[in-house]
Amino acid sequence: MHRHSIEKWQQDHDFVITNKRGETRTRYVLLLTTVTMIAELIAGTLFGSMALLADGWHMATHVAAFLITLYAYRYANKHANNPAFAFGTGKVSVLGSFTSAIALGVVALMMALESVERLFSPQPIQFNAAIAVAILGLTVNLVSALLLKDHHHHSHDQQQHHLDHNLKAAYLHVLADALTSILAIAALVAAKYAGLLWLDPIMGIVGAVIISVWAISLIKETSPVLLDGSIDKAYLEAIQGRIEQDADNRIADFHIWHISAHHYAAVITIVSDMPKSTAYYKNLLADFDRLSHLTIEVHRCQDKDCLHS
């Protein structure tokens, strides 16, 4: 039985974002947003404002998003070393962001349908009360944005800064909600002083469009990570050049894919007339710091033409 240490050949599989400060601040924002959401939904129903209801429903999506954000932090850290996950739980926060995007899309559709109905069947609005609640919502959104503004985190060695997609999703949620609150206030003021009652449901539609744009953007950002998308072409070509410009090496097979939002794994098969150890080739790529998990397979070329064709 092999009794020697094999630690130097083992690679880390913990690619989880640890952001305790962001997690704590997300809890504060969740509490603020939940209270404001309830107030706006009740006020929008009682005062007959579709723009206010749209803002309230928009806040409801943020409450769901913040819950997903907190759950993703907890689940990822709890299972960071679980061998059931081949490359750890680095994608959990990305999955949470993707889920938020789907929820946003559904709510945007509901808001748009309700706004169109109100456009053709307007209802009376109690402007003063509705405007007051909308201003309260905007204030909460701005405070929440300040709490979540710093959505970067340090890597384990504290030498690199990475974007925390989980916290960024929460931050952009409150920014989008702040914009929706501004639209609601503008619609209510215009309707009160200029008689533009149709502007209230129009702003509801605008809010739905804003949410839809955010949802699509978030899906585009997270989908490549969840689908094992490769690294950008220039980076990939730089890796290939580094190996093939060294001696007579040729790359026969080459795969790079996401194992978290900011980490990549790579499997490279090298053919060489005078092959060296895998440690040698790994050292060649030591400065490619986006490669967090690297597996190299080396073969001696049996056909002289295979290297110089």
Side-chain angles (χ1 to χ4, degrees):
M1 180 181 292
H2 191 92
R3 299 182 182 277
H4 300 288
S5 172
I6 59 174
E7 289 184 359
K8 71 176 183 178
W9 289 283
Q10 294 177 323
Q11 300 188 58
D12 187 20
H13 295 89
D14 183 2
F15 307 109
V16 174
I17 292 175
T18 301
N19 192 346
K20 293 296 184 183
R21 181 184 180 189
E23 187 176 350
T24 300
R25 292 193 171 196
T26 301
R27 289 197 187 95
Y28 296 150
V29 172
L30 172 62
L31 179 60
L32 282 171
T33 305
T34 301
V35 172
T36 309
M37 173 201 72
I38 294 172
E40 289 198 339
L41 289 176
I42 293 175
T45 302
L46 294 178
F47 307 145
S49 170
M50 188 57 225
L52 198 53
L53 279 174
D55 195 37
W57 280 114
H58 195 176
M59 277 199 162
T61 68
H62 301 332
V63 170
F66 299 146
L67 288 172
I68 292 172
T69 298
L70 292 172
Y71 179 77
Y73 279 133
R74 285 294 185 90
Y75 188 90
N77 283 286
K78 180 180 180 180
H79 296 278
N81 298 309
N82 189 337
F85 298 94
F87 288 97
T89 53
K91 290 186 179 182
V92 170
S93 64
V94 182
L95 179 60
S97 298
F98 181 85
T99 305
S100 295
I102 299 300
L104 281 173
V106 173
V107 172
L109 178 61
M110 294 172 58
M111 284 173 53
L113 293 175
E114 182 68 18
S115 296
V116 170
E117 181 181 348
R118 291 290 185 96
L119 186 62
F120 292 100
S121 302
Q123 298 184 12
I125 301 174
Q126 298 182 37
F127 294 108
N128 291 337
I131 291 172
V133 176
I135 292 174
L136 172 63
L138 176 60
T139 302
V140 170
N141 291 327
L142 294 177
V143 171
S144 299
L146 288 174
L147 286 172
L148 300 176
K149 184 178 180 180
D150 184 12
H151 40 269
H152 288 77
H153 72 98
H154 295 279
S155 62
H156 293 303
D157 59 11
Q158 298 296 311
Q159 299 299 312
Q160 296 179 353
H161 297 268
H162 288 311
L163 182 67
D164 183 344
H165 281 83
N166 209 25
L167 195 60
K168 179 189 174 185
Y171 175 67
L172 292 180
H173 269 281
V174 297
L175 284 187
D177 204 27
L179 179 57
T180 307
S181 294
I182 293 172
L183 293 175
I185 294 169
L188 290 167
V189 170
K192 177 181 179 181
Y193 294 104
L196 303 177
L197 297 177
W198 53 268
L199 195 57
D200 185 68
I202 288 295
M203 287 304 183
I205 294 174
V206 171
V209 171
I210 292 172
I211 298 174
S212 298
V213 170
W214 162 242
I216 292 171
S217 174
L218 195 54
I219 288 172
K220 288 182 177 179
E221 185 176 342
T222 55
S223 293
V225 181
L226 297 175
L227 295 174
D228 296 335
S230 188
I231 208 163
D232 56 90
K233 186 177 180 181
Y235 202 87
L236 189 147
E237 290 177 346
I239 294 172
Q240 185 169 353
R242 179 68 60 84
I243 291 176
E244 294 193 338
Q245 289 169 14
D246 177 76
D248 61 355
N249 306 318
R250 291 285 299 277
I251 291 180
D253 200 19
F254 189 11
H255 300 282
I256 296 181
W257 69 98
H258 279 279
I259 49 178
S260 76
H262 306 286
H263 298 273
Y264 292 82
V267 174
I268 307 175
T269 301
I270 300 172
V271 179
S272 178
D273 194 33
M274 295 180 292
K276 298 180 175 63
S277 68
T278 56
Y280 174 84
Y281 296 108
K282 286 187 175 182
N283 187 59
L284 275 181
L285 304 177
D287 57 336
F288 289 89
D289 55 5
R290 294 168 71 183
L291 298 181
S292 301
H293 195 284
L294 180 60
T295 302
I296 293 179
E297 181 181 352
V298 184
H299 297 277
R300 179 182 297 276
C301 181
Q302 302 298 324
D303 182 354
K304 297 299 182 182
D305 293 332
C306 71
L307 298 177
H308 308 289
S309 58

